[in-house]
Amino acid sequence: MSLRLIPYLVMDGNAREAIDFYEKALDAQILSLQAFGDMPENPEFSLPEEAKNRIAHAMLKVGESELMFSDTFPGQTVQVGKNVTICIQVRDVEQAKKLYDALQQDGKVNMPLQETFFSPAFGDVTDKFGVTFQIYTEGGKEE
C-alpha cells in the first residue's frame, strides 16, 4: 500500500509569492505549477480575468518532502482551519474510496470523491475532529 501525507497550504492570492519565498528560504525546487488560467476551459463557466494568474495547484520539493499550494478563487477568503490541510496521496481508486469513506464518518464532505481532469479519484473531507483532508489518487492526465 502506497500512501503519502503532504501538507497543502491555501493562500489568498499570494501563493506565487509564498512559493518564491519557500524556494529561496528552504532551498525548494518547483515540481509543478499551474494557474487557474492554465486549466481546461469550462464552457459553462467563464473564468474571471483576476483568477487567471492565481495558483490552482503547485508542488514544491523540500529536501525529502513536498509542500502543495493553491490560491483561493477570487471572492473566496482563506478560512482559518482550512488554510493548511493534509493531502493524502494514493495510487489506486479503491484505496482512495476506503480512506474517504472512513474519514467522512461523523465529519463533513467538502467535495465528493470523484474523477477530475487531474485525478481518477479526488475528494475533500473534514473529519469529526475538524481536520481537512484532500484525497488525491495518482494517475490523472497532469501528474
Side-chain angles (χ1 to χ4, degrees):
M1 173 169 91
S2 173
L3 183 143
R4 294 183 336 159
L5 301 177
I6 303 167
Y8 200 113
L9 309 177
V10 179
M11 313 303 257
D12 190 14
N14 60 345
R16 196 174 301 267
E17 179 184 349
I19 290 165
D20 291 344
F21 174 78
Y22 293 126
E23 194 177 12
K24 291 176 183 92
L26 301 176
D27 196 27
Q29 173 188 5
I30 297 174
L31 298 179
S32 66
L33 190 141
Q34 182 179 42
F36 283 109
D38 299 331
M39 295 178 8
E41 289 186 39
N42 179 346
E44 297 175 15
F45 178 77
S46 132
L47 189 65
E49 195 60 39
E50 65 270 20
K52 290 183 179 178
N53 289 323
R54 284 185 176 227
I55 302 301
H57 178 74
M59 181 181 277
L60 296 183
K61 178 101 171 137
V62 183
E64 297 299 313
S65 301
E66 287 94 19
L67 276 176
M68 292 181 175
F69 293 83
S70 70
D71 278 315
T72 56
F73 205 73
Q76 295 178 331
T77 58
V78 174
Q79 299 173 350
V80 174
K82 282 206 49 116
N83 54 330
V84 177
T85 63
I86 299 170
C87 180
I88 302 175
Q89 185 171 316
V90 297
R91 290 194 177 144
D92 97 18
V93 172
E94 289 307 311
Q95 185 180 10
K97 287 178 182 174
K98 182 179 175 184
L99 292 165
Y100 184 84
D101 289 343
L103 288 168
Q104 74 169 330
Q105 290 182 9
D106 298 323
K108 177 186 170 206
V109 170
N110 303 312
M111 178 180 173
L113 190 69
Q114 60 191 293
E115 184 175 350
T116 66
F117 78 91
F118 58 86
S119 173
F122 177 82
D124 187 298
V125 63
T126 302
D127 72 10
K128 65 183 178 180
F129 302 104
V131 178
T132 299
F133 291 90
Q134 297 176 42
I135 311 298
Y136 168 76
T137 308
E138 295 181 71
K141 297 174 192 163
E142 306 275 330
E143 283 190 66

